[in-house]
Amino acid sequence: MKKLVAYITSGYPEKSFSIDLALALGESGVDTLEFGVPFSDPVADGPLIEKANHKALESGFKFKDLLEISEIVAPKVDTLWMGYFNSFYQQNLQELIPLAKKLQVNGLIIPDLPHEEALLYKDLFSDNNFSNISFVAPTDSEARIKEVVSAAQKFIYMVAYTGITGSGQAEDLQPFLTSIKKYSQTPVYVGFGVNAKTAKYKVVGADGVIVGSAFIDILLKDSLSYTQKISQCSELAKIIKSEIN
């Protein structure tokens, strides 16, 4: 069974909604929730997620909101935190990672933390049995792919193309997948540009998909009630889970 990871922006449009949506997604086929930490300059994310980030910050999002959301959701649905390094660094990683583990969060996804710098925190992650998700991109050399994925934990985040999330660009991913799988048995999940229309072909040869902008697009529709947003996101999750399997 191929896996579905769903990204949602924490605290958007509000904290209680994030909890309700996350639990509904868990019941609709989502295997792992990726809680995005709102950040003022989310450089790896497309315009939809960037807009949701800004709206969450404008509404007063604080890091403690992420902790409160995770305390309720993480015991019920496999949970990761996705954010830019500064967001986590400001919380003191030596204290934050044990706290996250206590909340039953299982790892971090940090798109702006290079592999070489992440090695500085390798023991901290290992000592807490906590994953730091590795990224590989089509621009990486085979030697770099080997280095990055050799000790990858939980899953490998395979960037489907060079660019930002949500733009739907198509590429032949098979040579890239072959290079990754040559050096690691860790599951490979495809991210960037994955939606109901693209999931079926993007997942070929991979072990799962990561979907963000397609969910956030629904959340940004002001014409929908909270109930409608949750219903449409849940339906989308079911469709994608069906498409990839």
Side-chain angles (χ1 to χ4, degrees):
M1 180 71 74
K2 297 193 176 187
K3 305 297 186 181
L4 171 58
V5 179
Y7 166 96
I8 59 175
T9 303
S10 303
Y12 178 74
E14 60 184 43
K15 182 171 63 177
S16 62
F17 176 85
S18 293
I19 294 169
D20 291 342
L21 173 61
L23 296 176
L25 289 174
E27 293 174 354
S28 301
V30 167
D31 299 285
T32 298
L33 284 163
E34 185 182 331
F35 277 125
V37 184
F39 189 64
S40 57
D41 187 23
V43 293
D45 295 303
L48 293 174
I49 293 177
E50 182 176 359
K51 185 175 181 179
N53 270 243
H54 289 164
K55 282 181 172 289
L57 291 171
E58 289 167 4
S59 297
F61 173 86
K62 302 296 182 186
F63 200 90
K64 67 178 179 61
D65 296 327
L66 174 67
L67 302 180
E68 292 170 6
I69 291 167
S70 300
E71 184 176 19
I72 295 171
V73 175
K76 300 175 182 177
V77 188
D78 182 42
T79 296
L80 301 172
W81 290 342
M82 181 276 183
Y84 294 85
F85 184 63
N86 189 51
S87 298
F88 300 124
Y89 184 78
Q90 287 186 347
Q91 302 299 317
N92 185 342
L93 284 167
Q94 299 289 337
E95 296 178 1
L96 179 63
I97 289 179
L99 172 59
K101 191 64 181 179
K102 184 178 179 181
L103 295 174
Q104 299 185 49
V105 175
N106 291 314
L108 301 181
I109 300 175
I110 314 175
D112 65 337
L113 182 66
H115 172 69
E116 291 76 11
E117 292 183 28
L119 292 175
L120 297 173
Y121 303 96
K122 182 178 178 181
D123 289 345
L124 177 61
F125 279 88
S126 178
D127 291 346
N128 288 280
N129 190 27
F130 200 68
S131 298
N132 181 28
I133 303 300
S134 300
F135 285 81
V136 287
T139 50
D140 290 334
S141 67
E142 185 142 340
R144 182 165 181 78
I145 290 171
K146 180 180 180 180
E147 179 183 350
V148 171
V149 307
S150 60
Q153 305 157 318
K154 196 172 179 66
F155 64 84
I156 296 163
Y157 194 129
M158 182 179 120
V159 179
Y161 54 84
T162 307
I164 57 175
T165 60
S167 61
Q169 185 175 339
E171 284 191 14
D172 179 10
L173 303 177
Q174 297 314 304
F176 186 24
L177 270 166
T178 299
S179 295
I180 297 170
K181 288 182 173 286
K182 187 186 303 183
Y183 301 113
S184 177
Q185 298 300 310
T186 303
V188 180
Y189 295 176
V190 180
F192 285 46
V194 182
N195 54 46
K197 294 181 180 178
T198 65
K200 190 169 186 176
Y201 72 80
K202 290 232 180 194
V203 81
V204 173
D207 303 290
V209 295
I210 302 164
V211 182
S213 294
F215 290 112
I216 300 303
D217 184 41
I218 294 170
L219 301 190
L220 288 169
K221 292 179 178 176
D222 293 334
S223 61
L224 299 178
S225 68
Y226 283 6
T227 300
Q228 289 171 322
K229 289 178 181 183
I230 290 174
S231 176
Q232 289 192 21
C233 285
S234 297
E235 184 60 26
L236 176 60
K238 292 174 184 177
I239 291 169
I240 294 176
K241 191 64 177 289
S242 176
E243 285 293 308
I244 64 177
N245 286 288

